[in-house]
Amino acid sequence: MYLIKREAVIKMLMQREIKTNIKTKKRIYLSSPHMSEEGYEKQYINEAFETNWIAPLGENVNEFENELAAKVGARAAAALSSGTAAIHMALKAAGVSEGDIVFCPTLTFSATANPIIYQNAIPVFIDSDYETWNMSPDALEEAFRKYPKVKAVLVVHLYGLSADMDRIVEICRKHDVQLIEDAAESLGTTYKGKYTGTIGDYGIYSFNGNKIITTSGGGMLVSNNDERIAKVKFWATQARDKARHYQHSELGYNYRMSNVVAGIGRGQLKVLDQRVEKKRYIFDFYKRELGFIDEIDFMPINDWNEPNCWLSCITLTGKVRPLDVIIRLEEENIESRPIWKPMHMQPFFEGYDYIGSNVSEKIFENGVCLPSDTKMTDDDLYRVVNIIKGLWK
């Protein structure tokens, strides 16, 4: 009895000590908002207040659309309330409706797949390959053999890594299917010199708080089809007809971006290249400091891919498991997280078909997203890698 009580007291004291250590140690985030040191964002926000243009439309919205489209090389853009809304509008613009089949990567966040359900369409989940961590062209071809009548292919550029776009574009053209790029995590990434999000028929970006640039929330749909982008803006503004009175001939959505939020985006866009440079620096730091450990592999960087390295991710083999890394970092007040759990393994989506050979499951089971915050100093980075190295001692 005495030993049991003694062990309980020791455990309680250790937990209290861990909690105290966490509170006293500097917090390192996975990927948090990073406003410009120059204060660009405040300039545009102040303009919105000074002109009293606090609305879902305005100069900041228009210019954010123009400036981002010019940056990535797209002809037109629609600023929307979220990246999820942008995917929803892309599917609608592509003509996806009830009963249509949409091919979607299984290794992604649920926001990629949810809008397929919004349109009452049917997702079919496609496996990844180890070469890109993204949609496997081989699995995609297999899916077309099983489902020859497909309305759209929705590809993701995971963690800022570009998918194998030449092969995927070729397959989509062969089957005359529209291609939508979920570039929510890959703004600033290029594939053979071209920005992700501009290679397919439609591309979407996210400006959520954890993205490489943020507006606190928001998204953008880009395309070279001016007419469809104009239609998206119409739908996203409650589909209000051109009439003196309020008249609606189509279903509309309240999806337009706020003029204040767009001001943040305009300021953030000015520092996008700096953020990409820092994200790549963080990835290279981890690879240099941890690459000697045989049981650690890094997410794949291909010759044709200039990734933004939004998150630096590793996979593990051997006795040290992802949860060991995550918990050990948590004990030091450092944020990390698992790789996305594949969609075909999610309770909500488990009834939908999946094409592949479980590559995505293996990446999920063995993967860790390391802290990749652009405000991290070298001291912060050394703190992270030293803790991880300690797991192998």
Side-chain angles (χ1 to χ4, degrees):
M1 180 67 71
Y2 170 77
L3 288 175
I4 294 173
K5 286 184 178 180
R6 182 172 178 272
E7 287 175 1
V9 170
I10 291 172
K11 186 176 180 181
M12 181 186 69
L13 291 173
M14 287 176 66
Q15 287 174 340
R16 186 180 298 170
E17 183 180 357
I18 288 170
K19 288 179 181 178
T20 302
N21 288 339
I22 288 173
K23 287 180 180 178
T24 57
K25 290 179 179 177
K26 176 187 173 184
R27 177 69 164 165
I28 297 177
Y29 292 97
L30 183 75
S31 182
S32 67
H34 188 176
M35 295 296 102
S36 67
E37 284 72 20
E38 298 84 356
Y40 296 129
E41 300 84 358
K42 290 181 181 178
Q43 171 191 333
Y44 294 116
I45 292 171
N46 288 340
E47 286 178 11
F49 275 87
E50 288 166 4
T51 58
N52 199 35
W53 212 258
I54 313 300
L57 297 169
E59 183 180 359
N60 280 335
V61 175
N62 296 336
E63 290 307 308
F64 189 28
E65 290 170 342
N66 293 337
E67 289 160 7
L68 188 134
K71 173 66 176 176
V72 300
R75 277 172 51 183
L80 302 168
S81 56
S82 67
T84 309
I87 295 174
H88 186 192
M89 291 294 92
L91 291 166
K92 189 172 173 66
V96 173
S97 60
E98 185 172 0
D100 288 333
I101 292 173
V102 177
F103 290 158
C104 173
T106 189
L107 190 60
T108 186
F109 180 49
S110 63
T112 305
N114 286 340
I116 301 172
I117 306 300
Y118 300 167
Q119 286 300 99
N120 294 310
I122 303 167
V124 172
F125 296 110
I126 312 298
D127 202 5
S128 301
D129 57 34
Y130 289 118
E131 290 73 27
T132 66
W133 282 18
N134 286 302
M135 181 182 281
S136 162
D138 292 338
L140 180 61
E141 287 185 323
E142 181 184 344
F144 270 112
R145 287 191 292 271
K146 186 173 182 179
Y147 298 96
K149 293 184 179 180
V150 176
K151 196 69 176 184
V153 172
L154 179 51
V155 67
V156 175
H157 303 294
L158 199 71
Y159 300 123
L161 305 172
S162 172
D164 187 354
M165 291 305 291
D166 279 353
R167 287 193 63 194
I168 290 170
V169 168
E170 180 185 1
I171 294 167
C172 289
R173 284 179 180 170
K174 181 172 70 175
H175 293 275
D176 194 25
V177 170
Q178 294 198 71
L179 176 60
I180 300 166
E181 293 177 77
D182 179 349
E185 300 173 1
S186 70
L187 179 59
T189 294
T190 60
Y191 172 84
K192 297 186 177 180
K194 193 166 186 178
Y195 281 105
T196 53
T198 67
I199 301 165
D201 297 285
Y202 300 94
I204 77 99
Y205 302 107
S206 170
F207 310 114
N208 194 32
N210 62 0
K211 295 302 186 291
I212 194 159
I213 63 171
T214 182
T215 60
S216 76
M220 192 81 75
L221 175 63
V222 300
S223 177
N224 288 328
N225 190 328
D226 306 74
E227 182 182 338
R228 299 312 286 165
I229 291 295
K231 190 68 174 179
V232 164
K233 291 180 181 180
F234 168 73
W235 289 326
T237 319
Q238 299 289 19
R240 182 182 173 186
D241 293 337
K242 289 183 178 179
R244 188 175 294 274
H245 53 278
Y246 284 89
Q247 179 170 299
H248 307 272
S249 304
E250 297 183 55
L251 179 65
Y253 306 86
N254 186 16
Y255 276 173
R256 284 297 256 154
M257 181 180 283
S258 153
N259 195 49
V260 176
V261 164
I264 303 173
R266 293 182 71 188
Q268 285 274 281
L269 194 56
K270 289 180 179 292
V271 295
L272 172 61
D273 291 342
Q274 295 176 34
R275 299 293 179 262
V276 172
E277 183 180 354
K278 181 60 181 287
K279 291 280 191 179
R280 290 175 179 167
Y281 175 86
I282 291 169
F283 177 81
D284 290 340
F285 189 103
Y286 283 137
K287 196 161 188 179
R288 184 182 71 243
E289 293 295 323
L290 299 173
F292 71 93
I293 300 175
D294 292 336
E295 294 174 358
I296 295 180
D297 288 315
F298 285 80
M299 62 187 193
I301 308 295
N302 294 287
D303 292 340
W304 38 257
N305 182 204
E306 287 289 336
N308 69 5
C309 295
W310 172 57
L311 294 184
S312 291
C313 304
I314 58 174
T315 54
L316 304 174
T317 57
K319 292 183 178 180
V320 175
R321 306 307 300 142
L323 194 58
D324 298 325
V325 175
I326 292 167
I327 290 175
R328 184 69 190 92
L329 291 173
E330 276 180 2
E331 291 171 351
E332 300 295 328
N333 205 20
I334 299 170
E335 185 181 14
S336 61
R337 75 174 180 207
I339 297 291
W340 298 123
K341 183 177 182 179
M343 290 299 100
H344 74 277
M345 298 173 66
Q346 299 286 350
F348 181 79
F349 290 111
E350 63 185 4
Y352 295 97
D353 202 3
Y354 159 70
I355 309 294
S357 54
N358 299 327
V359 171
S360 56
E361 289 186 27
K362 293 182 178 72
I363 295 172
F364 160 63
E365 289 167 2
N366 295 301
V368 182
C369 303
L370 299 179
S372 306
D373 196 278
T374 50
K375 298 184 295 299
M376 291 175 73
T377 64
D378 278 5
D379 285 345
D380 294 332
L381 287 164
Y382 276 118
R383 185 176 150 204
V384 172
V385 298
N386 287 336
I387 291 167
I388 294 173
K389 287 175 185 176
L391 292 167
W392 271 266
K393 288 183 180 177

